[in-house]
CSV table of all heavy atoms in Angstrom, one decimal:
chain,number,residue,atom,x,y,z
C,132,PRO,N,-91.4,-11.9,25.8
C,132,PRO,CA,-92.6,-11.4,25.3
C,132,PRO,C,-93.2,-12.4,24.3
C,132,PRO,O,-92.5,-13.1,23.6
C,132,PRO,CB,-92.1,-10.1,24.5
C,132,PRO,CG,-90.8,-9.8,25.2
C,132,PRO,CD,-90.2,-11.1,25.5
C,133,PRO,N,-94.6,-12.4,24.2
C,133,PRO,CA,-95.2,-13.4,23.3
C,133,PRO,C,-94.7,-13.4,21.9
C,133,PRO,O,-94.6,-14.5,21.3
C,133,PRO,CB,-96.7,-13.0,23.4
C,133,PRO,CG,-96.8,-12.3,24.8
C,133,PRO,CD,-95.5,-11.6,25.0
C,134,ARG,N,-94.5,-12.2,21.3
C,134,ARG,CA,-94.1,-12.2,19.9
C,134,ARG,C,-92.7,-12.8,19.8
C,134,ARG,O,-92.5,-13.6,18.8
C,134,ARG,CB,-94.0,-10.8,19.4
C,134,ARG,CG,-93.8,-10.7,17.9
C,134,ARG,CD,-93.8,-9.3,17.3
C,134,ARG,NE,-92.5,-8.6,17.7
C,134,ARG,CZ,-92.3,-7.3,17.4
C,134,ARG,NH1,-93.2,-6.6,16.8
C,134,ARG,NH2,-91.1,-6.8,17.8
C,135,SER,N,-91.8,-12.5,20.7
C,135,SER,CA,-90.5,-13.1,20.6
C,135,SER,C,-90.5,-14.6,20.7
C,135,SER,O,-89.9,-15.4,20.0
C,135,SER,CB,-89.6,-12.6,21.7
C,135,SER,OG,-89.4,-11.2,21.6
C,136,ARG,N,-91.3,-15.1,21.7
C,136,ARG,CA,-91.5,-16.6,21.9
C,136,ARG,C,-92.1,-17.2,20.6
C,136,ARG,O,-91.6,-18.3,20.2
C,136,ARG,CB,-92.3,-16.8,23.1
C,136,ARG,CG,-92.4,-18.3,23.4
C,136,ARG,CD,-93.1,-18.5,24.8
C,136,ARG,NE,-94.4,-18.0,24.8
C,136,ARG,CZ,-94.8,-16.9,25.6
C,136,ARG,NH1,-93.8,-16.3,26.3
C,136,ARG,NH2,-96.0,-16.4,25.6
C,137,ASP,N,-93.2,-16.6,20.1
C,137,ASP,CA,-93.8,-17.2,18.9
C,137,ASP,C,-92.9,-17.3,17.7
C,137,ASP,O,-92.9,-18.3,17.0
C,137,ASP,CB,-95.1,-16.4,18.6
C,137,ASP,CG,-96.2,-16.5,19.7
C,137,ASP,OD1,-96.1,-17.4,20.5
C,137,ASP,OD2,-97.1,-15.7,19.7
C,138,ILE,N,-92.2,-16.2,17.5
C,138,ILE,CA,-91.2,-16.2,16.3
C,138,ILE,C,-90.2,-17.2,16.5
C,138,ILE,O,-89.8,-18.0,15.6
C,138,ILE,CB,-90.6,-14.8,16.2
C,138,ILE,CG1,-91.7,-13.8,15.6
C,138,ILE,CG2,-89.4,-14.8,15.3
C,138,ILE,CD1,-91.2,-12.4,15.5
C,139,PHE,N,-89.6,-17.3,17.7
C,139,PHE,CA,-88.5,-18.3,18.0
C,139,PHE,C,-89.0,-19.7,17.8
C,139,PHE,O,-88.3,-20.5,17.1
C,139,PHE,CB,-88.0,-18.1,19.4
C,139,PHE,CG,-86.9,-19.0,19.8
C,139,PHE,CD1,-85.6,-18.9,19.3
C,139,PHE,CD2,-87.2,-20.1,20.6
C,139,PHE,CE1,-84.6,-19.8,19.6
C,139,PHE,CE2,-86.2,-21.0,21.0
C,139,PHE,CZ,-84.9,-20.8,20.5
C,140,LEU,N,-90.1,-20.0,18.4
C,140,LEU,CA,-90.6,-21.4,18.3
C,140,LEU,C,-91.0,-21.8,16.8
C,140,LEU,O,-90.8,-22.9,16.4
C,140,LEU,CB,-91.8,-21.6,19.2
C,140,LEU,CG,-91.5,-21.6,20.7
C,140,LEU,CD1,-92.8,-21.7,21.5
C,140,LEU,CD2,-90.5,-22.6,21.1
C,141,ALA,N,-91.6,-20.8,16.1
C,141,ALA,CA,-91.9,-21.1,14.7
C,141,ALA,C,-90.7,-21.3,13.9
C,141,ALA,O,-90.6,-22.1,13.0
C,141,ALA,CB,-92.7,-19.9,14.1
C,142,ASP,N,-89.6,-20.5,14.2
C,142,ASP,CA,-88.4,-20.6,13.5
C,142,ASP,C,-87.7,-21.9,13.8
C,142,ASP,O,-87.2,-22.6,12.9
C,142,ASP,CB,-87.4,-19.5,13.9
C,142,ASP,CG,-86.1,-19.5,13.3
C,142,ASP,OD1,-85.9,-19.2,12.1
C,142,ASP,OD2,-85.1,-19.9,14.0
C,143,ARG,N,-87.7,-22.4,15.0
C,143,ARG,CA,-87.0,-23.6,15.4
C,143,ARG,C,-87.9,-24.9,15.2
C,143,ARG,O,-87.3,-25.9,14.8
C,143,ARG,CB,-86.5,-23.5,16.9
C,143,ARG,CG,-85.4,-22.5,17.1
C,143,ARG,CD,-84.3,-22.7,16.1
C,143,ARG,NE,-83.1,-21.9,16.4
C,143,ARG,CZ,-82.7,-20.9,15.6
C,143,ARG,NH1,-83.3,-20.6,14.5
C,143,ARG,NH2,-81.6,-20.2,16.0
C,144,LEU,N,-89.1,-24.8,15.6
C,144,LEU,CA,-90.0,-26.0,15.5
C,144,LEU,C,-90.6,-26.2,14.1
C,144,LEU,O,-90.6,-27.3,13.6
C,144,LEU,CB,-91.1,-25.9,16.5
C,144,LEU,CG,-90.7,-26.1,18.0
C,144,LEU,CD1,-91.9,-25.8,18.9
C,144,LEU,CD2,-90.3,-27.5,18.2
C,145,GLU,N,-91.1,-25.1,13.5
C,145,GLU,CA,-91.7,-25.3,12.2
C,145,GLU,C,-90.7,-25.1,11.0
C,145,GLU,O,-91.0,-25.5,9.9
C,145,GLU,CB,-92.8,-24.2,12.0
C,145,GLU,CG,-93.9,-24.2,13.0
C,145,GLU,CD,-94.8,-23.0,12.9
C,145,GLU,OE1,-94.8,-22.4,11.9
C,145,GLU,OE2,-95.6,-22.8,13.9
C,146,GLY,N,-89.5,-24.5,11.3
C,146,GLY,CA,-88.6,-24.3,10.3
C,146,GLY,C,-89.0,-23.2,9.3
C,146,GLY,O,-88.6,-23.1,8.2
C,147,ALA,N,-89.9,-22.3,9.9
C,147,ALA,CA,-90.5,-21.2,9.0
C,147,ALA,C,-89.4,-20.2,8.7
C,147,ALA,O,-88.5,-19.9,9.5
C,147,ALA,CB,-91.6,-20.5,9.8
C,148,CYS,N,-89.3,-19.7,7.4
C,148,CYS,CA,-88.3,-18.8,7.0
C,148,CYS,C,-88.6,-17.4,7.6
C,148,CYS,O,-89.7,-17.1,7.9
C,148,CYS,CB,-88.2,-18.7,5.5
C,148,CYS,SG,-89.6,-18.0,4.7
C,149,HIS,N,-87.6,-16.6,7.7
C,149,HIS,CA,-87.7,-15.3,8.3
C,149,HIS,C,-88.7,-14.3,7.5
C,149,HIS,O,-89.4,-13.5,8.1
C,149,HIS,CB,-86.3,-14.6,8.5
C,149,HIS,CG,-85.5,-15.3,9.5
C,149,HIS,ND1,-84.3,-14.8,10.0
C,149,HIS,CD2,-85.8,-16.4,10.3
C,149,HIS,CE1,-83.8,-15.6,10.9
C,149,HIS,NE2,-84.7,-16.6,11.1
C,150,ALA,N,-88.6,-14.4,6.2
C,150,ALA,CA,-89.5,-13.6,5.4
C,150,ALA,C,-91.0,-13.9,5.7
C,150,ALA,O,-91.9,-13.1,5.8
C,150,ALA,CB,-89.2,-13.8,3.9
C,151,GLU,N,-91.3,-15.2,5.8
C,151,GLU,CA,-92.7,-15.7,6.1
C,151,GLU,C,-93.1,-15.2,7.5
C,151,GLU,O,-94.2,-14.7,7.7
C,151,GLU,CB,-92.7,-17.2,6.1
C,151,GLU,CG,-94.1,-17.8,6.5
C,151,GLU,CD,-94.0,-19.3,6.5
C,151,GLU,OE1,-93.1,-19.9,5.9
C,151,GLU,OE2,-94.9,-19.9,7.2
C,152,LEU,N,-92.2,-15.3,8.5
C,152,LEU,CA,-92.5,-14.8,9.8
C,152,LEU,C,-92.7,-13.3,9.9
C,152,LEU,O,-93.5,-12.8,10.6
C,152,LEU,CB,-91.4,-15.2,10.8
C,152,LEU,CG,-91.3,-16.7,11.1
C,152,LEU,CD1,-90.0,-17.0,11.9
C,152,LEU,CD2,-92.5,-17.2,11.8
C,153,ALA,N,-91.9,-12.6,9.1
C,153,ALA,CA,-92.1,-11.1,9.0
C,153,ALA,C,-93.5,-10.8,8.5
C,153,ALA,O,-94.2,-9.9,9.1
C,153,ALA,CB,-91.0,-10.5,8.1
C,154,LEU,N,-94.0,-11.5,7.5
C,154,LEU,CA,-95.3,-11.2,7.0
C,154,LEU,C,-96.4,-11.6,8.0
C,154,LEU,O,-97.4,-10.9,8.2
C,154,LEU,CB,-95.5,-12.0,5.7
C,154,LEU,CG,-94.8,-11.6,4.4
C,154,LEU,CD1,-95.0,-12.5,3.3
C,154,LEU,CD2,-95.3,-10.2,4.0
C,155,ARG,N,-96.1,-12.7,8.7
C,155,ARG,CA,-97.1,-13.2,9.6
C,155,ARG,C,-97.3,-12.3,10.8
C,155,ARG,O,-98.4,-12.1,11.3
C,155,ARG,CB,-96.6,-14.6,10.2
C,155,ARG,CG,-97.6,-15.3,11.1
C,155,ARG,CD,-97.0,-16.6,11.7
C,155,ARG,NE,-96.6,-17.5,10.7
C,155,ARG,CZ,-96.0,-18.7,11.0
C,155,ARG,NH1,-95.8,-19.0,12.3
C,155,ARG,NH2,-95.6,-19.5,10.1
C,156,HIS,N,-96.2,-11.6,11.2
C,156,HIS,CA,-96.3,-10.7,12.4
C,156,HIS,C,-96.3,-9.3,12.0
C,156,HIS,O,-96.3,-8.4,12.9
C,156,HIS,CB,-95.1,-11.0,13.3
C,156,HIS,CG,-95.2,-12.4,14.0
C,156,HIS,ND1,-95.9,-12.6,15.2
C,156,HIS,CD2,-94.7,-13.6,13.7
C,156,HIS,CE1,-95.8,-13.8,15.5
C,156,HIS,NE2,-95.1,-14.5,14.6
C,157,GLY,N,-96.2,-8.9,10.7
C,157,GLY,CA,-96.3,-7.6,10.3
C,157,GLY,C,-95.1,-6.7,10.7
C,157,GLY,O,-95.2,-5.6,11.1
C,158,VAL,N,-93.9,-7.4,10.7
C,158,VAL,CA,-92.7,-6.7,11.0
C,158,VAL,C,-91.7,-6.9,9.9
C,158,VAL,O,-91.9,-7.6,8.9
C,158,VAL,CB,-92.1,-7.2,12.4
C,158,VAL,CG1,-93.1,-6.9,13.5
C,158,VAL,CG2,-91.8,-8.7,12.3
C,159,SER,N,-90.5,-6.3,10.0
C,159,SER,CA,-89.4,-6.5,9.0
C,159,SER,C,-88.6,-7.8,9.3
C,159,SER,O,-88.7,-8.3,10.4
C,159,SER,CB,-88.5,-5.3,9.0
C,159,SER,OG,-87.8,-5.3,10.3
C,160,VAL,N,-87.9,-8.2,8.3
C,160,VAL,CA,-87.1,-9.4,8.4
C,160,VAL,C,-86.0,-9.1,9.5
C,160,VAL,O,-85.6,-10.0,10.3
C,160,VAL,CB,-86.4,-9.8,7.1
C,160,VAL,CG1,-85.4,-10.9,7.3
C,160,VAL,CG2,-87.5,-10.3,6.1
C,161,LYS,N,-85.5,-7.9,9.5
C,161,LYS,CA,-84.5,-7.5,10.5
C,161,LYS,C,-85.1,-7.7,11.9
C,161,LYS,O,-84.4,-8.2,12.9
C,161,LYS,CB,-84.1,-6.1,10.3
C,161,LYS,CG,-83.0,-5.9,9.3
C,161,LYS,CD,-81.7,-6.3,9.8
C,161,LYS,CE,-80.6,-5.9,8.8
C,161,LYS,NZ,-79.2,-6.4,9.3
C,162,THR,N,-86.3,-7.3,12.1
C,162,THR,CA,-87.0,-7.5,13.4
C,162,THR,C,-87.1,-9.0,13.8
C,162,THR,O,-86.8,-9.4,14.9
C,162,THR,CB,-88.3,-6.8,13.5
C,162,THR,OG1,-88.2,-5.4,13.2
C,162,THR,CG2,-89.0,-7.0,14.8
C,163,VAL,N,-87.4,-9.8,12.8
C,163,VAL,CA,-87.5,-11.2,13.1
C,163,VAL,C,-86.1,-11.8,13.5
C,163,VAL,O,-86.0,-12.6,14.5
C,163,VAL,CB,-88.0,-12.0,11.8
C,163,VAL,CG1,-87.9,-13.5,12.0
C,163,VAL,CG2,-89.5,-11.6,11.5
C,164,GLU,N,-85.1,-11.4,12.8
C,164,GLU,CA,-83.7,-11.8,13.1
C,164,GLU,C,-83.4,-11.4,14.6
C,164,GLU,O,-82.8,-12.2,15.3
C,164,GLU,CB,-82.7,-11.2,12.2
C,164,GLU,CG,-82.8,-11.7,10.8
C,164,GLU,CD,-81.9,-11.0,9.8
C,164,GLU,OE1,-81.1,-10.2,10.3
C,164,GLU,OE2,-82.0,-11.1,8.6
C,165,ARG,N,-83.7,-10.2,14.9
C,165,ARG,CA,-83.4,-9.7,16.3
C,165,ARG,C,-84.2,-10.5,17.3
C,165,ARG,O,-83.7,-10.8,18.4
C,165,ARG,CB,-83.8,-8.2,16.5
C,165,ARG,CG,-82.8,-7.3,15.8
C,165,ARG,CD,-82.9,-5.9,16.3
C,165,ARG,NE,-84.2,-5.3,16.0
C,165,ARG,CZ,-84.5,-4.6,14.9
C,165,ARG,NH1,-83.5,-4.4,14.0
C,165,ARG,NH2,-85.7,-4.2,14.6
C,166,GLU,N,-85.5,-10.8,17.0
C,166,GLU,CA,-86.3,-11.6,18.0
C,166,GLU,C,-85.7,-13.0,18.2
C,166,GLU,O,-85.7,-13.5,19.3
C,166,GLU,CB,-87.7,-11.7,17.5
C,166,GLU,CG,-88.5,-10.4,17.4
C,166,GLU,CD,-88.8,-9.8,18.8
C,166,GLU,OE1,-88.2,-10.1,19.8
C,166,GLU,OE2,-89.8,-9.0,18.9
C,167,VAL,N,-85.3,-13.6,17.1
C,167,VAL,CA,-84.7,-15.0,17.2
C,167,VAL,C,-83.4,-14.9,18.0
C,167,VAL,O,-83.1,-15.7,18.9
C,167,VAL,CB,-84.4,-15.6,15.8
C,167,VAL,CG1,-83.6,-16.8,15.9
C,167,VAL,CG2,-85.7,-15.8,15.1
C,168,MET,N,-82.5,-13.9,17.7
C,168,MET,CA,-81.3,-13.8,18.5
C,168,MET,C,-81.6,-13.5,20.0
C,168,MET,O,-80.9,-14.0,20.9
C,168,MET,CB,-80.4,-12.7,17.9
C,168,MET,CG,-80.0,-13.0,16.5
C,168,MET,SD,-79.1,-14.6,16.3
C,168,MET,CE,-77.6,-14.2,17.2
C,169,ARG,N,-82.6,-12.7,20.2
C,169,ARG,CA,-83.0,-12.4,21.6
C,169,ARG,C,-83.4,-13.6,22.4
C,169,ARG,O,-82.9,-13.9,23.5
C,169,ARG,CB,-84.1,-11.4,21.6
C,169,ARG,CG,-84.7,-11.0,23.0
C,169,ARG,CD,-85.9,-10.0,22.8
C,169,ARG,NE,-86.4,-9.6,24.1
C,169,ARG,CZ,-87.4,-8.7,24.2
C,169,ARG,NH1,-88.0,-8.2,23.1
C,169,ARG,NH2,-87.8,-8.3,25.4
C,170,ALA,N,-84.2,-14.5,21.7
C,170,ALA,CA,-84.6,-15.7,22.4
C,170,ALA,C,-83.4,-16.7,22.6
C,170,ALA,O,-83.3,-17.3,23.6
C,170,ALA,CB,-85.7,-16.4,21.5
C,171,LEU,N,-82.5,-16.7,21.5
C,171,LEU,CA,-81.3,-17.6,21.7
C,171,LEU,C,-80.5,-17.1,22.8
C,171,LEU,O,-79.9,-17.9,23.6
C,171,LEU,CB,-80.5,-17.6,20.4
C,171,LEU,CG,-81.1,-18.5,19.3
C,171,LEU,CD1,-80.3,-18.3,18.0
C,171,LEU,CD2,-81.0,-20.0,19.7
C,172,ASP,N,-80.3,-15.8,23.0
C,172,ASP,CA,-79.5,-15.3,24.1
C,172,ASP,C,-80.2,-15.7,25.4
C,172,ASP,O,-79.4,-16.0,26.4
C,172,ASP,CB,-79.5,-13.7,24.0
C,172,ASP,CG,-78.5,-13.3,22.9
C,172,ASP,OD1,-77.7,-14.1,22.5
C,172,ASP,OD2,-78.6,-12.1,22.5
C,173,SER,N,-81.5,-15.6,25.5
C,173,SER,CA,-82.2,-16.0,26.8
C,173,SER,C,-82.0,-17.5,27.1
C,173,SER,O,-81.7,-17.9,28.2
C,173,SER,CB,-83.7,-15.7,26.7
C,173,SER,OG,-83.9,-14.3,26.5
C,174,VAL,N,-82.1,-18.3,26.0
C,174,VAL,CA,-81.9,-19.8,26.2
C,174,VAL,C,-80.4,-20.1,26.6
C,174,VAL,O,-80.2,-20.8,27.5
C,174,VAL,CB,-82.2,-20.5,24.9
C,174,VAL,CG1,-81.7,-22.0,25.0
C,174,VAL,CG2,-83.7,-20.5,24.6
C,175,GLU,N,-79.5,-19.4,25.9
C,175,GLU,CA,-78.1,-19.6,26.3
C,175,GLU,C,-77.8,-19.2,27.7
C,175,GLU,O,-77.1,-19.9,28.4
C,175,GLU,CB,-77.2,-18.9,25.3
C,175,GLU,CG,-75.7,-19.1,25.5
C,175,GLU,CD,-74.8,-18.5,24.4
C,175,GLU,OE1,-75.3,-18.3,23.3
C,175,GLU,OE2,-73.7,-18.2,24.7
C,176,ALA,N,-78.3,-18.0,28.1
C,176,ALA,CA,-78.1,-17.6,29.5
C,176,ALA,C,-78.7,-18.6,30.5
C,176,ALA,O,-78.1,-18.8,31.5
C,176,ALA,CB,-78.8,-16.2,29.7
C,177,ALA,N,-79.9,-19.1,30.2
C,177,ALA,CA,-80.5,-20.1,31.1
C,177,ALA,C,-79.6,-21.3,31.2
C,177,ALA,O,-79.5,-21.9,32.3
C,177,ALA,CB,-81.9,-20.5,30.5
C,178,LEU,N,-79.0,-21.8,30.1
C,178,LEU,CA,-78.1,-22.9,30.1
C,178,LEU,C,-76.9,-22.7,30.9
C,178,LEU,O,-76.3,-23.5,31.6
C,178,LEU,CB,-77.8,-23.4,28.7
C,178,LEU,CG,-79.0,-24.1,28.0
C,178,LEU,CD1,-78.6,-24.4,26.6
C,178,LEU,CD2,-79.4,-25.3,28.7
C,179,HIS,N,-76.3,-21.4,30.8
C,179,HIS,CA,-75.2,-21.1,31.6
C,179,HIS,C,-75.5,-21.1,33.1
C,179,HIS,O,-74.7,-21.6,33.9
C,179,HIS,CB,-74.7,-19.7,31.2
C,179,HIS,CG,-73.7,-19.7,30.0
C,179,HIS,ND1,-72.5,-20.3,30.0
C,179,HIS,CD2,-73.9,-19.3,28.7
C,179,HIS,CE1,-71.9,-20.1,28.8
C,179,HIS,NE2,-72.8,-19.5,28.0
C,180,ARG,N,-76.7,-20.6,33.4
C,180,ARG,CA,-77.1,-20.6,34.8
C,180,ARG,C,-77.2,-22.0,35.3
C,180,ARG,O,-76.9,-22.4,36.5
C,180,ARG,CB,-78.4,-19.8,35.0
C,180,ARG,CG,-78.2,-18.3,34.9
C,180,ARG,CD,-79.4,-17.6,35.3
C,180,ARG,NE,-80.6,-17.9,34.6
C,180,ARG,CZ,-81.0,-17.2,33.5
C,180,ARG,NH1,-80.3,-16.2,33.0
C,180,ARG,NH2,-82.1,-17.5,32.8
Side-chain angles (χ1 to χ4, degrees):
R134 188 180 73 183
S135 299
R136 182 172 59 251
D137 292 346
I138 287 176
F139 177 75
L140 293 177
D142 177 76
R143 291 308 189 247
L144 286 172
E145 302 172 16
C148 69
H149 289 185
E151 177 187 339
L152 292 174
L154 289 173
R155 186 186 303 180
H156 291 274
V158 297
S159 67
V160 172
K161 279 283 189 184
T162 299
V163 170
E164 292 174 10
R165 284 197 297 269
E166 296 287 25
V167 171
M168 296 305 291
R169 177 182 184 179
L171 279 174
D172 286 340
S173 296
V174 169
E175 185 172 332
L178 288 176
H179 275 291
R180 289 193 296 270

